Amino acid sequence: MSSCSSDLAPLLGGVANSSAAASYICDQFTDVGFAIDNTYLLFSAYLVFSMQLGFAMLCAGSVRAKNTMNIMLTNVIDAAAGGLFYYLFGFAFAFGGPSNGFIGKHFFGLKEVPQPSFDYSNFLYQWAFAIAAAGITSGSIAERTQFVAYLIYSSFLTGFVYPVVSHWFWSGDGWAAAGRNAGESLLFKSGVIDFAGSGVVHMVGGIAGLWGALIEGPRIGRFDHVGRSVALRGHSATLVVLGTFLLWFGWYGFNPGSFNTIFKTYGPSGSIHGQWSAVGRTAVTTTLAGCTAALTTLFGKRLQTGHWNVVDVCNGLLGGFAAITSGCSVVDPWAALICGFVSAWVLIGFNKLAATLKFDDPLEAAQLHGGCGAWGIIFTALFAREKYVNEVYPGRQGRPYGLFMGGGGRLLAAHIVQILVITGWVSCTMGPLFFALHKLGLLRISSEDEMAGMDLTRHGGFAYVYHDEDPSLDDGSSSGGFMVKSSAVRVEPRTTPAAATSQV
């Protein structure tokens, strides 16, 4: 601010009290800058939150019709329970500084917020990320999990497990953060460049889902008596496509929004070099990775199965998005094509491995978010460009960048550490939680309830009304299937068309 006033005052030499006038003008520009940045971050938060609707639609379409109510309710609870626990504990554990490198220790219940470095918009944005991680996990354990287990794991994940990981890699105090506070040493002199969360969000959600699905075991009928894989297809490809497009839309808040600000220049005043350009580049790399992954999956699955399967293409697209999330801001658009191409084969390969090991994940969430997220972390360490790294993470001379771009192997070493510590942390926290729920009989529903469907046995009725039936005519023979009886007798007009005509 003082620099702004001193630079502007000589230009106002003919104005009385030029110093005061310069200070006033600079104050106004500073206020405008804060307003622009906060509006940008709030809009990005709204986009990320819209991904919850995408998750809900994707999950609903990927399960059988008899479990639609259940999976939709879990998505609502992820947002609601996640909101309270992230407010009470999660945000403090993640960003409550000053603190140690492991966990934050200030701002519980948003006490002493806002601060000069962040406002309420930062909380809202980070909450939307936290509930995204919980939504990933819910897909892995769909169609066989007791509702109380959802409440417990979702609260624990958003209130503690995920915030600690985000503190490590995104907080200025975090031990492995690329944007660590000035004067603090960086991991391998580079820190971890996980810009929007291939590891922090996607690997955390995917590995948590992996443990939940492993401990629960596969759904009844998923593998036959000789161990062969049996497809239990979701009931609505329409909802899967709708959910995919909503997630695609929300990803433009997820990745570009992770800059947090947009009103920042990288070069001389008046040039095009600014954060606004980096935001646009990030949206482009995100788009290209997803598109490439979708097309690669389309033709790859065609070669394997002989079919053009829209559900597989949607999952491939999302796998490309999960992979590019880490390096979206620091790679060139051409590199995003490589990211998407490889992520499609990573997903296909992990799905084959899951079938071989008799691992059942109805939404392929562990394979997609865990596997493709891990690939995205490696990809960033290989293709991060020096210029972009120094723009996005300024203030450190000689910072390492991508191995294939001539930056050496330090960034790759840091990213391998990230994969290992996330895998270890989530396994040591969520694994015992799911195991304890299993031993207490709180994790999996009974086989009878699973066969009948949780909508009927746990949620009061099916999500869809296939036809109405007059209760007075019920002879007990229509209790099977997905019939939902009408709650009242329908009253039809007594006048016949012929009678009505004769009265005219």
Side-chain angles (χ1 to χ4, degrees), residues 11-140:
L11 302 177
L12 301 175
V15 179
N17 298 322
S18 59
S19 296
S23 179
Y24 174 78
I25 293 172
C26 289
D27 285 341
Q28 294 301 307
F29 274 114
T30 300
D31 291 343
V32 169
F34 281 132
I36 291 173
D37 287 337
N38 271 276
T39 301
Y40 173 72
L41 188 58
L42 279 172
F43 180 71
S44 297
Y46 304 152
L47 286 177
V48 177
F49 180 70
S50 74
M51 296 176 77
Q52 287 300 116
L53 177 57
F55 276 126
M57 296 299 100
L58 180 70
C59 290
S62 299
V63 301
R64 289 164 291 180
K66 62 183 180 180
N67 295 311
T68 305
M69 290 266 284
N70 173 262
I71 198 67
M72 296 288 278
L73 181 58
T74 63
N75 277 271
V76 175
I77 292 303
D78 283 338
L84 289 178
F85 279 87
Y86 198 72
Y87 162 75
L88 293 172
F89 311 108
F91 186 74
F93 289 149
F95 299 101
S99 69
N100 55 58
F102 178 76
I103 191 170
K105 54 184 181 180
H106 295 285
F107 313 138
F108 292 96
L110 294 185
K111 187 179 181 180
E112 299 179 11
V113 174
Q115 292 280 316
S117 57
F118 57 83
D119 207 332
Y120 291 107
S121 55
N122 296 84
F123 165 79
L124 193 72
Y125 187 68
Q126 295 301 331
W127 159 72
F129 270 64
I131 61 176
I136 292 168
T137 304
S138 68
S140 296

Side-chain angles (χ1 to χ4, degrees), residues 266-425:
Y266 293 155
S269 179
S271 71
I272 64 171
H273 301 293
Q275 199 130 288
W276 49 86
S277 180
V279 166
R281 183 182 67 247
T282 300
V284 169
T285 57
T286 300
T287 302
L288 293 177
C291 292
T292 304
L295 291 174
T296 304
T297 306
L298 175 69
F299 289 103
K301 295 295 289 186
R302 167 70 176 178
L303 292 174
Q304 284 187 319
T305 65
H307 303 294
W308 307 101
N309 191 313
V310 67
V311 175
D312 288 335
V313 172
C314 288
N315 284 337
L317 176 83
L318 297 177
F321 287 152
I324 196 61
T325 294
S326 173
C328 53
S329 65
V330 295
V331 300
D332 285 302
W334 62 263
L337 304 180
I338 299 174
C339 179
F341 178 80
V342 175
S343 69
W345 292 109
V346 168
L347 179 59
I348 291 172
F350 272 111
N351 282 337
K352 294 288 286 186
L353 180 63
T356 301
L357 298 177
K358 299 180 178 60
F359 173 77
D360 181 23
D361 185 327
L363 273 89
E364 303 176 5
Q367 302 94 293
L368 193 160
H369 297 277
C372 293
W375 153 242
I377 294 168
I378 298 298
F379 161 79
T380 305
L382 300 178
F383 290 95
R385 185 177 172 185
E386 181 181 16
K387 175 186 176 183
Y388 300 152
V389 170
N390 289 326
E391 287 176 347
V392 178
Y393 300 96
R396 302 271 186 167
Q397 295 296 325
R399 182 193 290 271
Y401 50 100
L403 176 64
F404 291 169
M405 309 300 287
R410 290 182 180 272
L411 183 59
L412 178 60
H415 283 208
I416 291 174
V417 169
Q418 183 193 19
I419 293 173
L420 294 176
V421 297
I422 289 178
T423 302
W425 170 252

